[in-house]
Amino acid sequence: MTEKDRDYKLLCLVLSRMTFLTTFEKLNLIKKLDSLNNLMVLSIEEISTIIGRKSRARWDGKLFLNQARQDLYIITKFQISMVLYTDKEYPALLREISDPPFLLFYRGNIDFLSKFCISVVGTRRMTSDAARSCVEFAHSACLDGTNIISGLAFGIDRKAHEGALKAFDESSDKNIAGKTAAVLPGAIDNIIPEGNRKLAQRILESGGCLISEYAPGEEAMPYRFVQRNRIIAGLSSTTVVIQAPPGSGAMHTADFALGYNREVMFHKAAFSESSMKISSIVRRQLSLQADKGSTEEKKLRMDPKLFVQDGAPIIENYADCLRCLSEAPEKRNCTQANTNLLTLFD
């Protein structure tokens, strides 16, 4: 690594830790600065002038630089790669969202993220029907060359990755089979949950990748799970919810996808009798909590029932998903009629 390349990486790593700036403000700083040293000598007032708004954030250039040097040591030691928003390798669809990550840290191959991907999400406490349906969906998708994005959590996420890996193992041409990417809610050097470490390794061995926007050593704080979900939604043109109760993390992902003008679909397993009983219980709990002022009203609106009422299709399998994607939204004729299932909510 040349000294120039090292300084540029350190500049990007310093900026990645300046969480008080947006991605586009960080890019503006890179554009206005000639070197890493020029950033280090800036005061917070001078930074505010460059970005065009006043910031009261605590800024200590030396402290941030020391942390960036530790970051660079770790990513070099553990062979972690990084890609900037402006790099050609940065996933094109992710670049289109309103709040894209400034920097992505990854292990494995990210080239396939420029091809057709479907995000598959759902609850950790899945039903057996939802688990089976998830594996079948991801398996069929990857055998067809479609790539699967999920979050490496227990439950539906794990089943989505397992379905993709099953297709890879069965494929006679490993180059044609779809891959799977796991987006992490913490640093890439600290895989969580620990029970999925072997799964993460299998993902890498199959030609997939692990992705995070967080610098080395950063823990998976609760709010970062929601931030992670926007990346899962942003990497794909379509998000498929296998099973998710109202207000859950998976429904946050669906909400992000809609906000990015992406497709959102629900697997029919989300409306099985057992799934609907769970959703009904959660819906009542959210309503009670909202009455006490302890839950945002937005969570109540993150309800599969409401998404379907607004036009989200219900699909039965991967082939059904492709049929829906090939039809105009107003003319879709998926195998499971939404109106028939909606009557079961009443």
Side-chain angles (χ1 to χ4, degrees), residues 224-234 248-250 252-253 256:
R224 288 178 173 162
F225 284 83
V226 176
Q227 288 185 333
R228 178 272 306 274
N229 291 344
R230 87 184 196 285
I231 298 177
I232 294 176
S248 62
H252 274 90
T253 307
F256 278 124

Side-chain angles (χ1 to χ4, degrees), residues 270-289:
F271 303 102
S272 68
E273 183 177 357
S274 53
S275 294
M276 289 169 61
K277 285 181 179 179
I278 294 171
S279 290
S280 180
I281 293 171
V282 172
R283 196 177 294 114
R284 286 196 298 271
Q285 291 173 340
L286 287 175
S287 296
L288 289 173
Q289 291 169 359

Side-chain angles (χ1 to χ4, degrees), residues 40-103:
M40 293 302 98
V41 299
L42 289 180
S43 66
I44 191 62
E45 290 76 20
E46 290 170 321
I47 291 174
S48 295
T49 298
I50 294 175
I51 65 176
R53 67 173 177 87
K54 189 172 183 178
S55 174
R56 293 185 175 86
R58 297 180 62 182
W59 162 247
D60 182 335
K62 290 183 179 179
L63 181 64
F64 276 70
L65 179 57
N66 287 336
Q67 184 62 67
R69 286 170 174 157
Q70 293 180 36
D71 293 340
L72 185 58
Y73 170 78
I74 293 173
I75 66 175
T76 301
K77 179 179 179 179
F78 290 98
Q79 297 182 315
I80 299 170
S81 300
M82 48 189 263
V83 59
L84 185 66
Y85 174 88
T86 53
D87 293 341
K88 64 179 182 179
E89 297 86 2
Y90 192 94
L93 278 178
L94 189 60
R95 190 184 283 122
E96 294 177 2
I97 70 174
S98 57
D99 49 354
F102 168 73
L103 195 65

Side-chain angles (χ1 to χ4, degrees), residues 18 47 79 89 117 161 198 210 245 274 304 331 341:
M18 296 171 71
I47 291 174
Q79 297 182 315
E89 297 86 2
C117 299
H161 295 307
K198 288 184 178 180
L210 308 177
S274 53
K331 296 182 179 180
L341 279 178

Side-chain angles (χ1 to χ4, degrees), residues 213-337:
E213 66 176 319
Y214 300 110
E218 291 297 310
E219 296 182 5
M221 307 297 288
Y223 72 92
R224 288 178 173 162
F225 284 83
V226 176
Q227 288 185 333
R228 178 272 306 274
N229 291 344
R230 87 184 196 285
I231 298 177
I232 294 176
L235 284 169
S236 300
S237 60
T238 303
T239 291
V240 174
V241 181
I242 302 295
Q243 178 196 359
S248 62
M251 291 308 299
H252 274 90
T253 307
D255 194 56
F256 278 124
L258 282 184
Y260 301 147
N261 199 28
R262 308 290 171 82
E263 292 276 4
V264 174
M265 300 182 185
F266 290 83
H267 195 282
K268 72 171 186 177
F271 303 102
S272 68
E273 183 177 357
S274 53
S275 294
M276 289 169 61
K277 285 181 179 179
I278 294 171
S279 290
S280 180
I281 293 171
V282 172
R283 196 177 294 114
R284 286 196 298 271
Q285 291 173 340
L286 287 175
S287 296
L288 289 173
Q289 291 169 359
D291 290 341
K292 297 177 181 179
S294 60
T295 299
E296 295 180 20
E297 185 181 346
K298 185 177 180 181
K299 276 193 172 184
L300 286 169
R301 298 197 300 269
M302 292 182 188
D303 190 323
K305 170 184 176 179
L306 300 181
F307 276 63
V308 172
Q309 287 177 338
D310 287 340
I314 299 172
I315 60 171
E316 189 171 351
N317 49 40
Y318 171 68
D320 209 14
C321 173
L322 293 185
R323 279 194 291 274
C324 280
L325 290 175
S326 69
E327 298 168 347
E330 67 277 6
K331 296 182 179 180
R332 280 176 175 163
N333 184 29
C334 299
T335 58
Q336 187 69 44

